[in-house]
Amino acid sequence: MNDNPRFGPATGIGSLPGQDAREAVKTSTGTFEDFPFLPELPARGPGADMIGRTAGMLVELYARVEPSGWRLGDRPGRDTKRARSWLGEDLDALEEFTQGYEGPLKVQAVGPWTLAAALELRNGEAVLSDAGACRDLAASLAEGLRLHLAEVRRRVPGARIALQLDEPSLTAVLRGQVRTASGYRTHRAVDRQVVESALRDLAAVHADGPVVVHSCAPDVPFALLRRAGVTGVSFDFSLLTERDDEAIGEAVEGGTRLFAGVVPGTDTALSDPAGSVMGVRTLWRRLGLSPGLLAEAVTVTPSCGLAGASPEYARRALAHCARAARSLADNPE
């Protein structure tokens, strides 16, 4: 076994239902004793949603809420202050419940391309419409993440931080499927090398720790993410097709960690834990990979964030992930 693991066997994606930061962190740290995550609580309102939360981390760029969504402005307003205040509350709770903790800890932020697709320029179009604005946004995000990671290290000095970049819009950006403000057209596809380069630069911000990219959209670009230097890829396992087999096999053999989202993100009846990871075992056999690699290569998660679930289901789903990961480790065949 690795005495200094970068990842644990199971964790959450990020969002949870409810508005109580202490309760959310208590659930995360209590369920995943060897790989907790910093929860996000979008039910609190604008600034606690994934876009607003990350917009609050930006350096020398500020965003405010408009009827159409988050728009960049000239100075920090109440929306920026609210986002930063909530993040501070979350970090206070994390510090309280991780006293003496040593081990992997996951924090999340929105990646540069999903942020560029969601944030608006002053003219109402997405940042994605302007290549220079995309570069400025990525640079601001990199600096903001550097400060955020330093703050988490200060509060949880024993943690080995894994940074997760949420990129649900990545495939749409690559394919030119992000709609313009009018809704009648789409923004042109961004060159794959430009996308890859921006992700590589952002991953370099956390050079001393692992970077995971999460997308619960279909057709996750595994090969592009590997070339960008990403350490792990987080995805909705139910959306995989056999077309993804080759890219996944190459990723595993290249040392990429798979965050397999096998537990549904909204309320449903859960199968037994072994049943939840049966598809992972089947994939392994299909790829001809060694069963002994499973526990070393896979972290079990929900399929996506749990913000839309009931609090009771969210707690059960997270505990189910932990049990499913144990099943995978105990019975890899």
Side-chain angles (χ1 to χ4, degrees):
M1 280 297 288
N2 185 350
D3 295 328
N4 187 25
R6 309 176 89 189
F7 304 113
T11 193
I13 292 297
S15 67
L16 292 177
Q19 300 185 30
D20 185 332
R22 289 183 77 256
E23 187 60 37
V25 172
K26 185 179 173 187
T27 297
S28 166
T29 55
T31 308
F32 303 115
E33 294 175 2
D34 41 14
F35 197 13
F37 66 100
L38 177 62
E40 301 163 2
L41 301 174
R44 292 183 294 198
D49 60 298
M50 61 187 263
I51 299 299
R53 182 181 180 88
T54 300
M57 295 180 193
L58 296 174
V59 172
E60 294 181 2
L61 284 179
Y62 310 102
R64 63 178 187 272
V65 180
E66 298 283 342
S68 54
W70 284 91
R71 182 172 296 183
L72 293 175
D74 295 322
R75 59 183 66 84
R78 63 173 187 225
D79 298 322
T80 299
K81 290 180 181 130
R82 191 188 301 123
R84 290 176 178 174
S85 170
W86 274 327
L87 182 58
E89 265 181 45
D90 297 341
L91 291 170
D92 289 345
L94 183 71
E95 187 175 2
E96 178 185 347
F97 285 100
T98 52
Q99 294 293 313
Y101 176 72
E102 294 185 357
L105 165 71
K106 184 166 71 69
V107 300
Q108 305 84 219
V110 177
W113 295 107
T114 296
L115 205 57
L119 281 180
E120 297 173 359
L121 297 166
R122 290 173 184 78
N123 65 6
E125 281 300 349
V127 171
L128 194 64
S129 64
D130 182 323
C134 286
R135 285 192 294 274
D136 291 346
L137 179 63
S140 171
L141 177 60
E143 191 54 37
L145 285 176
R146 200 174 280 117
L147 295 171
H148 178 54
L149 292 166
E151 179 66 9
V152 176
R153 277 189 208 99
R154 186 182 71 76
R155 289 170 178 262
V156 195
R160 292 186 292 279
I161 301 168
L163 171 62
Q164 175 181 303
L165 298 173
D166 291 319
E167 282 283 16
S169 301
L170 184 59
T171 301
V173 167
L174 288 165
R175 291 183 174 174
Q177 294 169 339
V178 176
R179 296 211 162 271
T180 58
S182 70
Y184 294 123
R185 295 185 302 109
T186 55
H187 294 288
R188 70 170 57 135
V190 180
D191 182 87
R192 295 181 82 85
Q193 287 181 315
V194 173
V195 169
E196 186 184 317
S197 172
L199 287 168
R200 185 182 299 108
D201 289 348
L202 212 57
V205 169
H206 192 41
D208 58 345
V211 176
V212 178
V213 169
H214 165 72
S215 173
C216 42
D219 299 321
V220 175
F222 286 93
L224 181 149
L225 294 174
R226 281 184 57 227
R227 289 195 304 273
V230 165
T231 327
V233 182
S234 169
F235 55 94
D236 179 345
F237 194 86
S238 71
L239 297 178
L240 289 185
T241 69
E242 292 198 14
R243 284 202 317 272
D244 298 305
D245 278 9
E246 186 178 345
I248 289 177
E250 287 173 357
V252 172
E253 287 170 350
T256 304
R257 183 84 174 193
L258 302 183
F259 284 61
V262 296
V263 177
T266 49
D267 293 39
T268 188
L270 294 171
S271 68
D272 67 295
S276 293
V277 286
M278 192 183 299
V280 180
R281 291 193 184 95
T282 303
L283 171 68
W284 231 244
R285 282 197 295 274
R286 203 164 69 225
L287 296 176
L289 295 167
S290 158
L293 261 180
L294 263 174
E296 295 293 314
V298 175
T299 292
V300 176
T301 71
S303 58
C304 213
L306 291 163
S310 66
E312 197 270 332
Y313 175 80
R315 284 190 293 272
R316 279 196 299 120
L318 294 179
H320 193 85
C321 288
R323 286 197 295 271
R326 275 198 296 277
S327 159
L328 206 54
D330 294 343
N331 303 298
E333 304 281 357

